[in-house]
Amino acid sequence: MDASFAYGVGLATRGARSGELLDAWFPTVGLDDDTGAALDAVLPGSGTRSLELDAATDPEGHAVLGRVLAAAGARDALDGERVAVAAIVHDVAAPPADRLEATLRLHLLSHRLVAPHGLSVDGVFGLLPNVAWTDLGPLEPDAVDDVRLALAAEGRRLQVRSVDRFARMTDYVVPAGVRIGDADRVRLGAHLASGTTVMHEGFVNFNAGTLGASMVEGRISAGVVVGDGSDLGGGASIMGTLSGGGTEVIRIGERCLVGANAGVGISLGDGCVVEAGLYVTAGTKVTLPDGGVVAARELSGRAALLFRRDSRTGAVVALPREGHRGDWGGLNVALHTND
């Protein structure tokens, strides 16, 4: 774990129809620092907790509380109420206890304060509500038609971008040093290291992402971690943690290339290449240079391997690439300087 104590202070939206909290934005987040200790002392209660703040909360000496309290109380364009909220977590290794705490953990990941698997996100699906994410803000799905009619009477339209439990990351967190071609394809809770480029067909799920400069033209599923200098070609796919029964973590090492329309269900060590169009799952039978045949899971995490299909026999083979350090071409440095 990257830390034991975490906190966040921000604004949440309470739906006009249900009165339930639909989202939360934590512009102030942190781990094990003086601000967190001060907030822990001034906010009511003890231990892990989430709470709504009001004028009775004493913001004296705590500018962050004063700022969110000043922004609270307003109504958004969908008549949702903006409320000031805080979440204090004393053990990030334990599963989140409620909706606000779950959302805070997604913010910590996208703010790059915690790496994927650096805290528990167990149970987040059951804690987050299904929301219609619109151009005017979050909305209960069963309220969409009524809101559309009301807006139509004013000559306005409502655009529903998605109906999901997870918001898109860039509506809440915009990390420095990254490029994202289509923001709809990066969920809140994605971890994008500086130097990462996510092209229009790329996708990054929550509790997953990159640890360095990477080109993402394919799919990084939930739980997957991609090392520095690696490239996921167009249409490439990496099986996520849920595909492995919730326990198998797929990691792609540094300086790897997963070719266009290729995929892996095993981990790759540093300097590996998977040829275009080849999908290597854990059970794929792989022929070795000595003629032996093994299940691909036995090669999981091995460095400097080339996986390709023999065009004459159709067999999947693994060839050594000793001494190779990304000589498939490597990433174009100019494309990944995203300051």
Side-chain angles (χ1 to χ4, degrees), residues 179-194:
R179 287 193 294 131
I180 301 172
D182 184 349
D184 287 339
R185 299 181 63 84
V186 180
R187 273 176 153 182
L188 182 64
H191 180 286
L192 301 183
S194 181

Side-chain angles (χ1 to χ4, degrees), residues 166-190:
F166 290 79
R168 62 181 183 179
M169 183 187 71
T170 55
D171 286 341
Y172 297 85
V173 181
V174 179
V178 305
R179 287 193 294 131
I180 301 172
D182 184 349
D184 287 339
R185 299 181 63 84
V186 180
R187 273 176 153 182
L188 182 64

Side-chain angles (χ1 to χ4, degrees), residues 11-336:
L11 296 170
T13 305
R14 186 180 294 284
R17 173 170 293 197
S18 66
E20 297 291 325
L21 293 179
L22 301 180
D23 77 336
W25 169 49
F26 292 102
T28 298
V29 295
L31 304 169
D32 289 329
D33 60 22
D34 291 341
T35 298
L39 288 171
D40 196 29
V42 73
L43 293 176
S46 62
T48 297
R49 61 201 183 276
S50 299
L51 65 158
E52 292 186 33
L53 310 175
D54 56 31
T57 305
D58 180 12
E60 183 178 355
H62 302 281
V64 62
L65 294 180
R67 288 198 299 271
V68 298
L69 287 168
R75 295 272 176 178
D76 65 17
L78 301 175
D79 202 33
E81 181 186 6
R82 297 282 169 77
V83 294
V85 294
I88 304 291
V89 182
H90 281 259
D91 183 7
V92 298
D98 57 37
R99 187 170 298 175
L100 285 178
E101 190 185 327
T103 307
L104 169 62
R105 291 173 188 239
L106 298 179
H107 277 70
L108 292 169
L109 286 160
S110 290
H111 275 292
R112 303 188 299 223
L113 294 177
V114 179
H117 307 286
L119 47 67
S120 174
V121 289
D122 293 345
V124 293
F125 285 101
L127 294 172
L128 299 176
N130 203 30
V131 174
W133 302 100
T134 82
D135 58 331
L136 299 179
L139 181 65
E140 300 98 327
D142 61 1
V144 169
D145 286 344
D146 289 342
V147 170
R148 275 185 168 148
L149 284 171
L151 291 174
E154 303 172 6
R156 303 166 64 193
R157 299 188 64 177
L158 180 72
Q159 180 184 5
V160 179
R161 295 180 175 132
S162 68
V163 181
D164 195 4
R165 297 179 187 274
F166 290 79
R168 62 181 183 179
M169 183 187 71
T170 55
D171 286 341
Y172 297 85
V173 181
V174 179
V178 305
R179 287 193 294 131
I180 301 172
D182 184 349
D184 287 339
R185 299 181 63 84
V186 180
R187 273 176 153 182
L188 182 64
H191 180 286
L192 301 183
S194 181
T196 296
T197 297
V198 183
M199 295 299 289
H200 293 75
E201 294 304 315
F203 172 81
V204 187
N205 214 330
F206 77 101
N207 198 30
T210 61
L211 302 181
S214 288
M215 175 66 77
V216 181
E217 299 177 271
R219 178 183 180 86
I220 300 179
S221 301
V224 172
V225 182
V226 177
D228 184 32
S230 290
D231 186 318
L232 303 183
S237 177
I238 306 170
M239 293 176 65
T241 303
L242 295 179
S243 301
T247 57
E248 185 70 22
V249 176
I250 303 297
R251 299 180 182 273
I252 304 300
E254 297 182 359
R255 306 178 309 280
C256 289
L257 171 64
V258 181
N261 298 316
V264 292
I266 63 171
S267 293
L268 300 179
D270 295 344
C272 287
V273 171
V274 180
E275 77 166 4
L278 175 62
Y279 210 117
V280 181
T281 65
T284 299
K285 300 304 181 184
V286 182
T287 301
L288 304 177
D290 63 3
V293 178
V294 299
R297 64 172 58 89
E298 297 186 35
L299 302 175
S300 184
R302 299 275 189 93
L305 290 178
L306 165 64
F307 292 90
R308 66 176 181 84
R309 189 178 296 278
D310 188 310
S311 60
R312 297 172 299 172
T313 66
V316 177
V317 299
L319 302 175
R321 303 181 71 242
E322 280 82 0
H324 291 262
R325 295 184 58 82
D327 66 353
W328 51 269
L331 296 176
N332 184 329
V333 176
L335 292 178
H336 296 273

